[in-house]
Amino acid sequence: MKNGRRGFLRAATAFGVATFAEIGGPTRAEAKSEDDKKAVPEEEVTATEDLMREHGVLNRILLVFEEGMRRLREKKDVSPDVFHKPALLVRKFVEDYHEKLEENFIFPEFEKQKKLTELVKVLRQQHAAGRKTTDVILRNAAADQFRKEDPRKELVAACQAFIRMYRPHEAREDTVLFPALHKLVPATRIKELGEQFEKEEDRLFGDEGFEKTVVEVAGIEKQLGIYDLALFTPT
């Protein structure tokens, strides 16, 4: 079975495993054959959970932008790659994949039933604005432009605008839009959406596209020295 988000999550609880052992069935640690492993309960990741995990990738990219701007303010030496690499990830994974899923599959469900239409309208507008902002970041993060003062200022302003918009944008989707989807469409439709998302991810990125993107973001974080989560703990 394929590893990662698109595989099935191992979902047996401690109680469930204990109960299973009591009636003579194998626990996961004891399962030796493929038939035994199939007997362990499994849970499928939903379409909305997929999208929320992808928001987590975006949030980590926003932290990279913030770290790059912090270093610029402190007059430290900053490579243009600090902005160019995450902006490319935004273009490839967030805008050309994640947002297209929302625009092609999620938003139409609300528009067809005339639910949360004002929210969806704003979300669509913000997607378009985000792509224009990414264009600005990519243009000014090019090596020949990044060395110049005015393009660098334009880049910083674009990053600030990008962060300011996307934090509430994704929060509103996670807390309002996605929960409402489960009330709007049947569970069978949610399952269909998940399958469509999987096909699109595999088409664009191959197996484990999400996991590969997380690794890319982690690599940038490590280069900047902000990968260690403990660094963000107040002292």
Side-chain angles (χ1 to χ4, degrees):
M1 183 175 293
K2 182 169 68 172
N3 291 328
R5 175 181 63 155
R6 289 300 187 181
F8 291 107
L9 296 174
R10 306 284 186 184
T13 64
F15 173 78
V17 171
T19 302
F20 195 54
E22 287 172 6
I23 63 173
T27 64
R28 184 171 294 104
E30 295 167 342
K32 301 299 182 183
S33 69
E34 287 301 315
D35 288 340
D36 288 339
K37 291 176 184 177
K38 289 176 183 177
V40 178
E42 293 173 338
E43 179 185 358
E44 189 173 3
V45 177
T46 67
T48 51
E49 185 180 352
D50 270 350
L51 296 172
M52 293 172 76
R53 292 183 184 193
E54 289 159 10
H55 282 169
V57 171
L58 176 57
N59 268 314
R60 291 175 71 168
I61 291 173
L62 300 185
L63 287 172
V64 170
F65 283 154
E66 288 177 331
E67 176 64 15
M69 291 189 293
R70 183 188 70 80
R71 295 186 181 198
L72 287 177
R73 287 195 303 271
E74 295 180 0
K75 309 297 183 183
K76 294 182 178 180
D77 186 36
V78 179
S79 166
D81 281 346
V82 170
F83 298 96
H84 198 265
K85 285 183 177 180
L88 283 177
L89 280 178
V90 167
R91 177 54 43 87
K92 177 179 70 172
F93 187 78
V94 177
E95 296 171 350
D96 290 347
Y97 168 63
H98 170 89
E99 291 184 347
K100 291 298 183 183
L101 294 181
E102 293 178 338
E103 293 168 0
N104 294 334
F105 298 106
I106 302 297
F107 296 169
E109 296 289 348
F110 291 91
E111 291 163 337
K112 284 186 295 187
Q113 299 195 42
K114 294 181 170 52
K115 302 291 185 181
L116 297 178
T117 53
E118 284 303 312
L119 173 59
V120 169
K121 179 181 177 181
V122 173
L123 293 173
R124 283 190 182 276
Q125 291 170 342
Q126 290 184 338
H127 283 182
R131 288 166 189 144
K132 291 179 182 177
T133 307
T134 302
D135 286 340
V136 175
I137 297 171
L138 287 170
R139 181 176 68 247
N140 290 296
D144 59 335
Q145 291 295 103
F146 191 74
R147 289 190 293 266
K148 303 174 185 176
E149 184 177 357
D150 286 345
R152 190 176 291 194
K153 287 181 179 178
E154 188 177 13
L155 180 148
V156 168
C159 286
Q160 290 172 332
F162 192 87
I163 294 166
R164 177 176 170 78
M165 181 180 74
Y166 269 106
R167 286 238 164 90
H169 175 98
E170 60 188 2
R172 199 63 61 90
E173 288 183 338
D174 289 347
T175 60
V176 178
L177 194 78
F178 297 159
L181 183 69
H182 288 269
K183 300 176 182 178
L184 196 68
V185 301
T188 53
R189 177 56 179 156
I190 298 290
K191 181 177 176 61
E192 289 172 3
L193 289 172
E195 292 170 352
Q196 289 174 305
F197 291 2
E198 180 177 357
K199 289 178 183 178
E200 187 64 8
E201 181 181 314
D202 289 346
R203 183 183 72 82
L204 290 174
F205 306 111
D207 287 348
E208 300 186 347
F210 171 78
E211 289 76 18
K212 291 173 185 176
T213 304
V214 170
V215 169
E216 286 189 66
V217 175
I220 298 172
E221 292 170 336
K222 289 173 182 178
Q223 289 176 353
L224 289 173
I226 61 169
Y227 176 75
D228 184 359
L229 184 62
L231 295 172
F232 297 92
T233 306
T235 57

